Amino acid sequence: MGQRQSSHWISYIVRSVVLGLVVAAVVIWLQPMLSAWQSSRATPEQPVSYAKAVNRAAPAVVNIYSLSEVRGSYYSQRPNTVLRLGSGVIMDNVGHILTAAHVVANVSSIQVALQDGRQTSAQIIGVDPITDLAVLRIELDNLPIIPQDRKLRSRVGDVVLAIGNPLNLGQTITQGIISATGGRMGVINSHADLLQMDAVINEGASGGALVNSEGYLVGINNAQFRGPAGQGIEGIYFAVPYSLARDVMTQLIQEGEVVRGYFGINTSETPANLSFAQPGIFITGVDSNSPAERAGLRTEDYIIAIGGQPISSAAEGLALISNTRPGTELEVRFIRDDREQRTTAIITKLTN
């Protein structure tokens, strides 16, 4: 019995030692992962930040101070000098700045203040009332340039930051999302197809930059939407898309004006009591002596193709006409009295 008990205890001790060694090995093997897990539990997650985007874009957004003279009152014929606030975006290294046309319309002098403390006067290169855009130029070296990507296309739901100088408080950033990327023509002074977002644009921020979460320019800030009584509507703001703004800037620099095609129709949503098998443009009015009238088009005609290109919306069709050089002949396919017909229109130049 003594030998059996001794053998039993020796076996028990050996098994205990082996089990202890296995447990120790497992603990040592798991230690790095346990430490990493404890570290991740102890350290709070990095908060969401747009600091990188702001650092990339904000230096290229300038404050614009315009002086204009207004006629005096009945009691004083002396004209009054009025200071107008706005913002602008440095687009290239030779000093071209994009801003809103209403910021610099009918002014006597323009001063530009950079975020690095430099100030200088600016001259107007060109103004396009249709898109409410203007191009200025300053003569300074080592200019910060807004990040740009010509292939970039904004999407509904994209996070955007509006950078400007509202109420002359100094550079301010507001954040929102894009809720529409088209179909907003004519809702404010601009007749361009606009971006709609809820990033706040107060007085003085017009003409500033709308950038995405990486700091790339997606639009030039314009204005707040106003209701029938002229009151501002919270949460509805607009910007001219970057691609359109850049095209306008290029034409103003090279030509001094933006040349657009003119057709002469008014459009609206297709009435609910009418149904068509394909998308198009429902005509609600035709301008007198316009290319459309001379082509024989009438109110309630439904255009389905222009220049051989099917039309999916009024915005698309009007953009196609706008980009057509004056003097160009375009075939127009339309539906009248449930029959498809064709005509030819000669596009003329749109005058402001």
Side-chain angles (χ1 to χ4, degrees):
M1 290 292 296
Q3 291 181 349
R4 288 182 180 180
Q5 290 180 345
S6 175
S7 175
H8 174 76
W9 279 108
I10 292 174
S11 176
Y12 175 80
I13 292 172
V14 170
R15 287 199 302 271
S16 298
V17 170
V18 171
L19 180 60
L21 291 174
V22 170
V23 171
V26 170
V27 170
I28 293 173
W29 179 70
L30 290 175
Q31 186 61 39
M33 289 182 284
L34 290 172
S35 299
W37 179 79
Q38 291 173 346
S39 177
S40 66
R41 294 276 293 179
T43 304
E45 292 184 3
Q46 184 71 19
V48 175
S49 173
Y50 301 111
K52 178 181 177 181
V54 172
N55 290 336
R56 296 181 68 182
V61 182
V62 301
N63 302 346
I64 296 177
Y65 303 93
S66 303
L67 294 178
S68 60
E69 291 186 350
V70 297
R71 299 178 62 180
S73 66
Y74 175 82
Y75 299 100
S76 174
Q77 298 301 312
R78 178 180 301 175
N80 297 317
T81 301
V82 177
L83 174 64
R84 190 182 303 168
L85 301 175
S87 303
V89 184
I90 301 175
M91 298 294 291
D92 57 35
N93 58 8
V94 297
H96 289 118
I97 294 174
L98 262 175
T99 186
H102 69 264
V103 169
V104 295
N106 303 315
V107 300
S108 55
S109 66
I110 303 171
Q111 291 291 315
V112 172
L114 278 68
Q115 302 309 313
D116 60 13
R118 290 183 290 174
Q119 297 186 25
T120 185
S121 59
Q123 68 179 53
I124 298 177
I125 300 300
V127 176
D128 182 43
I130 300 297
T131 54
D132 195 24
L133 290 172
V135 177
L136 312 179
R137 180 155 184 212
I138 57 176
E139 295 186 1
L140 290 175
D141 297 326
N142 301 317
L143 291 171
I145 302 169
I146 196 81
Q148 300 167 58
D149 180 357
R150 299 192 186 189
K151 297 180 180 179
L152 184 67
R153 293 294 179 268
S154 298
R155 302 167 299 172
V156 173
D158 284 352
V159 172
V160 287
L161 309 172
I163 308 176
N165 178 32
L167 307 174
N168 204 29
L169 293 174
Q171 192 170 85
T172 301
I173 297 97
T174 58
Q175 180 260 338
I177 62 171
I178 292 177
S179 56
T181 59
R184 295 296 189 267
M185 295 186 295
V187 294
I188 55 175
N189 291 336
S190 171
H191 290 80
D193 215 355
L194 302 169
L195 298 175
Q196 178 184 325
M197 74 282 184
D198 62 349
V200 177
I201 303 173
N202 288 314
E203 181 181 354
S206 291
L210 187 70
V211 303
N212 65 13
S213 57
E214 295 295 323
Y216 284 92
L217 184 66
V218 299
I220 301 298
N221 297 328
N222 192 291
Q224 181 181 24
F225 180 63
R226 298 193 174 276
Q231 78 279 16
I233 305 299
E234 293 298 326
I236 304 178
Y237 302 87
F238 298 96
V240 180
Y242 163 69
S243 58
L244 174 59
R246 186 172 184 89
D247 289 344
V248 168
M249 180 185 76
T250 299
Q251 290 191 58
L252 289 176
I253 293 172
Q254 295 178 352
E255 309 292 339
E257 65 175 343
V258 179
V259 177
R260 293 184 176 88
Y262 168 66
F263 192 36
I265 60 171
N266 298 318
T267 69
S268 71
E269 296 293 331
T270 304
N273 62 332
L274 298 177
S275 61
F276 295 96
Q278 53 191 308
I281 303 176
F282 184 75
I283 300 178
T284 58
V286 178
D287 295 346
S288 177
N289 199 33
S290 66
E293 185 184 64
R294 291 193 290 271
L297 292 169
R298 302 195 305 235
T299 300
E300 297 187 358
D301 285 345
Y302 188 73
I303 299 175
I304 58 176
I306 300 175
Q309 179 176 326
I311 301 301
S312 61
S313 67
E316 180 185 3
L318 295 178
L320 186 153
I321 293 167
S322 178
N323 293 327
T324 300
R325 299 294 298 181
T328 303
E329 288 189 3
L330 292 178
E331 180 190 67
V332 180
R333 290 170 48 211
F334 63 98
I335 297 174
R336 178 187 297 167
D337 299 329
D338 296 326
R339 292 178 52 213
E340 181 177 321
Q341 302 184 40
R342 299 169 185 258
T343 186
T344 299
I346 301 177
I347 303 303
T348 58
K349 180 181 177 182
L350 176 67
T351 57
N352 298 330

